[in-house]
Amino acid sequence: MAEGTLSRSCLNIWLILCLFPRTCVSNPSKPNFLLILADDLGIGDVGCYGNDTIRTPNIDGLAKDGVRFTQHIAAAAVCTPSRAAFLTGRYPIRSGMASSTQRQVLFWNGCSGGLPPNETTFARILHQQGYSTALVGKWHLGVNCKSRHDHCHHPLNHGFDYFYGMPFTLLNECQGTDDPELAKSLQDTYWLYTQMIILAELTLLIGKLTNLFSVKWKIIICLAICGLLYFISWFSSYGFTKYWNCILMRNHDITEQPMNLEKTTSNMLKEAVSFIERNKNRPFLLFVSLLHVHTPLITTEKFQGRSRHGLYGDNVEEMDWMVGRLLDVIDKEGLKNTTFIYFASDHGGSLESHRGNAQFGGWNGIYKGGKGMAGWEGGIRVPGIVRWPGVLPAGTVIHDLTSLMDIFPTVVHLAGGEVPQDRVIDGRTLLPLLRGTVQRSGHEFMFHYCGVFLHAVRWHQKDSGTIWKAHYATPVFQPEASGACFGRGICPCFGDGVTHHDPPLLFDLSQDPSEANPLSAETEPLFDSITRRIGKAVEEHRKTLTPVPQQLSPYNNIWKPWLQPCCGTFPFCWCDEENNKADGIL
């Protein structure tokens, strides 16, 4: 009798607890995931990383209640390869998402390059584990391969159940400013290639018709098609970029072409909040890939003029407010203790971005360099914050070496999945470091690529704790002492815009995080042994690389009309399905 009464009492207590969702905690070993990735945010733009003039109370609150990384490293200093590495846990060079040309990112929605379908993202593994998965915001990892509707690179083909956002990235052209961002870097190149191909085509045609030499008609036709593609791409860069690249999609459907920038922030936030509310009773992964703080710095009127750092500061503060709104809905739905929240930036802030005399890029704190500079710390050291109340200790600061690629194995393990064994995974699980069971991460060496070119390597010497960094190539700044490539718009990865170093420039990041004082054999007794050990690590690393198709090759990165996403009858692409849907969110 007593046992029955006790059982009923326990059952009643359990039922009472579960009537109040804030006190009914699900299995903490399989949390929800809210991953927030800012675009072009500098590590020095955030209050908890030392900025005392831009207000970021919500991001600072995340750090106060969670864990903050001080040496969190992006796998690349530009968007496309960095995001590929984040989703797959692998260096971009392994998936073909590293460029051998000066075009380091995808340049068109209508190109054939993108994240290969055979790559495994953490979203795909979590989907297999029963998670509801969504991406809201920026993708920039390709759309189609062979036809306008194959969607081989699309988020829904990489494990996401739901997608709402830009398949591309924000550009100045999206706003229609007088300072085009994409066109100016493409027009001269496309016109040069067009002229070269036309000259070659005429030479072959004359030779064929006059029997001066033998050449197959197939070659002449293929060359003519290539020339036509370059000509069309050159022509499209004059005013058509807004219609081809600045679009919004919901799953496979285009909802705005071109985008209505006035409501983009509201639309994105509404979609993210709605996803959380719809999936609050089941495990979910929500990747919020913010359009902030990329140029042209789309900022709602509510936040314009609020900061002390012009439009860029306004945009950062609006981004922080968006993070706060996401945290509010997590709290409101009783999900705070069951949600693993991560915040970071895809790479460092852009130093060259400006409009007139106004700086439109971020601040990278004490670190040299910025966006596009894969070796210097300012291009790859980013904010990184994790919060999971009740599981991870609040107010913790971790100075050890970590990477955006580490999110892949960390999320997979927490969700109960398995990391793929058929490929090299470069990320290391953060769980032992986050829980304090170890003091050192799983990274001994980290390789810093600019496209396919290895620019620098860091070595975390386990026995001494020293962090050495060797630079094999560094960009040539324009002007020389400016610390950036203002003359080019972004620093190149190779060619006459790069200085090669043999022996490499060596820095002790433990003592010189600003990379101001390169060491030499005269100033560092262990110089030769350190550079030899790093060189050996490079050799061992290169043995793990296998040839893969280059997704950013000139052919894959050129605009192809038959691949262009279009919500009408091509080329008359225009629609606005989102009108009036976002009212009331702001």
Side-chain angles (χ1 to χ4, degrees):
M1 185 72 176
E3 290 181 2
T5 303
L6 179 61
S7 298
R8 284 194 298 274
S9 299
C10 291
L11 178 61
N12 289 337
I13 292 172
W14 182 84
L15 289 171
I16 291 170
L17 287 174
C18 285
L19 286 174
F20 299 93
R22 291 183 185 274
T23 61
C24 188
V25 179
S26 63
N27 183 358
S29 65
K30 293 190 69 171
N32 304 309
F33 297 96
L34 172 58
L35 311 179
I36 307 171
L37 194 65
D39 196 1
D40 288 17
L41 180 71
I43 191 171
D45 291 328
V46 185
C48 57
Y49 284 91
N51 194 307
D52 58 3
T53 57
I54 296 180
R55 293 164 294 190
T56 55
N58 295 296
I59 298 172
D60 299 343
L62 264 184
K64 181 180 179 182
D65 296 338
V67 179
R68 180 170 65 90
F69 302 114
T70 63
Q71 195 179 178
H72 201 46
I73 307 299
V78 289
C79 305
T80 296
S82 175
R83 289 163 182 271
F86 173 69
L87 285 164
T88 64
R90 289 153 52 82
Y91 285 114
I93 195 170
R94 298 194 191 279
S95 60
M97 296 299 285
S99 176
S100 60
T101 75
Q102 298 291 9
R103 314 294 175 210
Q104 299 181 49
V105 300
L106 292 174
F107 270 66
W108 301 97
N109 276 324
C111 70
S112 55
L115 188 62
N118 63 351
E119 285 295 319
T120 300
T121 67
F122 53 69
R124 179 171 292 166
I125 297 177
L126 264 65
H127 173 80
Q128 295 167 351
Q129 293 298 117
Y131 275 73
S132 179
T133 59
L135 167 59
V136 174
K138 170 178 173 173
W139 177 239
H140 206 185
L141 292 172
V143 182
N144 300 312
C145 288
K146 296 181 179 180
S147 71
R148 185 170 295 143
H149 302 293
D150 65 27
H151 299 120
C152 71
H153 301 307
H154 192 278
L156 267 58
N157 201 37
H158 281 290
F160 291 101
D161 302 319
Y162 183 76
F163 170 61
Y164 179 84
M166 285 192 77
F168 197 63
T169 182
L170 274 180
L171 297 165
N172 286 340
E173 285 90 333
C174 297
Q175 196 178 45
T177 67
D178 295 329
D179 184 25
E181 189 172 350
L182 183 64
K184 66 181 180 182
S185 62
L186 286 177
Q187 287 164 355
D188 290 345
T189 300
Y190 282 160
W191 184 238
L192 175 63
Y193 287 173
T194 300
Q195 291 175 310
M196 291 172 61
I197 292 174
I198 290 174
L199 181 61
E201 176 76 8
L202 290 174
T203 302
L204 292 177
L205 191 59
I206 293 171
K208 175 73 172 179
L209 295 176
T210 59
N211 295 319
L212 287 176
F213 47 81
S214 176
V215 61
K216 294 181 179 180
W217 281 110
K218 184 178 180 180
I219 295 176
I220 295 176
I221 293 171
C222 288
L223 193 61
I225 292 173
C226 289
L228 181 61
L229 283 177
Y230 274 109
F231 175 78
I232 292 174
S233 296
W234 169 79
F235 182 77
S236 294
S237 66
Y238 286 90
F240 289 91
T241 305
K242 179 177 182 179
Y243 291 89
W244 300 154
N245 285 339
C246 305
I247 68 176
L248 278 181
M249 298 183 77
R250 177 178 282 107
N251 295 326
H252 291 146
D253 299 323
I254 299 173
T255 61
E256 287 185 0
Q257 189 171 15
M259 295 164 53
N260 179 357
L261 296 181
E262 293 181 0
K263 294 193 174 183
T264 298
T265 297
S266 180
N267 289 342
M268 297 290 182
L269 189 55
K270 183 177 181 179
E271 290 289 336
V273 169
S274 176
F275 177 83
I276 295 172
E277 292 173 344
R278 293 196 310 269
N279 293 277
K280 60 186 177 182
N281 294 320
R282 60 173 297 184
F284 66 79
L285 161 72
L286 174 58
F287 175 23
V288 179
S289 181
L290 296 167
L291 302 182
H292 294 58
V293 288
H294 197 289
T295 52
L297 304 177
I298 303 303
T299 308
T300 58
E301 187 176 352
K302 177 181 176 181
F303 284 90
Q304 291 179 15
R306 287 182 46 161
S307 80
R308 294 164 56 185
H309 289 277
L311 188 59
Y312 182 83
D314 298 343
N315 203 242
V316 173
E317 293 191 5
E318 182 175 57
M319 176 200 66
D320 179 79
W321 172 80
M322 294 176 71
V323 171
R325 290 286 286 113
L326 294 172
L327 299 181
D328 288 344
V329 73
I330 291 291
D331 292 351
K332 174 188 172 185
E333 300 298 340
L335 302 172
K336 183 174 182 178
N337 292 333
T338 57
T339 303
F340 178 100
I341 298 178
Y342 169 77
F343 175 86
S345 177
D346 57 353
H347 49 70
S350 174
L351 303 181
E352 293 89 356
S353 295
H354 64 278
R355 185 177 297 171
N357 294 324
Q359 174 67 27
F360 266 33
W363 182 49
N364 299 311
I366 65 172
Y367 305 109
K368 180 182 290 187
K371 177 179 179 179
M373 305 180 213
W376 296 120
E377 288 292 281
I380 53 178
R381 191 183 288 224
V382 298
I385 301 169
V386 173
R387 191 191 80 175
W388 190 6
V391 179
L392 303 180
T396 302
V397 179
I398 293 177
H399 299 290
D400 209 63
L401 180 60
T402 59
S403 168
L404 269 72
M405 295 185 292
D406 296 340
I407 294 302
F408 178 93
T410 302
V411 166
V412 168
H413 287 151
L414 284 174
E418 294 185 2
V419 171
Q421 300 299 309
D422 62 343
R423 64 199 64 196
V424 176
I425 301 296
D426 299 295
R428 302 289 182 264
T429 179
L430 294 169
L431 296 180
L433 202 61
L434 289 170
R435 288 170 171 159
T437 58
V438 300
Q439 299 302 310
R440 298 282 174 85
S441 75
H443 295 285
E444 182 179 8
F445 293 94
M446 198 168 284
F447 304 92
H448 307 304
Y449 281 92
C450 188
V452 298
F453 305 95
L454 185 65
H455 274 207
V457 180
R458 81 177 64 208
W459 175 30
H460 188 175
Q461 195 173 359
K462 296 298 183 181
D463 53 354
S464 68
T466 304
I467 301 172
W468 306 101
K469 188 172 174 191
H471 287 261
Y472 294 99
T474 54
V476 177
F477 294 143
Q478 297 174 326
E480 186 175 346
S482 64
C485 299
F486 291 103
R488 296 175 182 266
I490 191 168
C491 290
C493 295
F494 63 94
D496 60 2
V498 168
T499 300
H500 294 274
H501 304 282
D502 186 15
L505 292 179
L506 182 67
F507 296 91
D508 177 359
L509 295 183
S510 313
Q511 304 297 323
D512 182 22
S514 299
E515 298 174 286
N517 303 299
L519 303 172
S520 65
E522 290 72 32
T523 58
E524 173 52 60
L526 299 176
F527 181 90
D528 290 335
S529 62
I530 293 167
T531 54
R532 279 198 304 270
R533 180 65 188 95
I534 293 176
K536 182 179 178 181
V538 171
E539 292 177 6
E540 294 170 351
H541 164 70
R542 283 179 170 153
K543 291 177 182 177
T544 70
L545 302 177
T546 56
V548 292
Q550 296 301 300
Q551 299 297 323
L552 299 175
S553 68
Y555 177 77
N556 280 330
N557 212 359
I558 193 173
W559 183 67
K560 302 176 179 68
W562 61 90
L563 298 183
Q564 176 60 47
C566 180
C567 61
T569 301
F570 185 84
F572 304 103
C573 305
W574 184 92
C575 58
D576 184 6
E577 302 294 334
E578 297 297 327
N579 191 29
N580 298 322
K581 287 186 178 181
D583 292 340
I585 241 327
L586 291 176

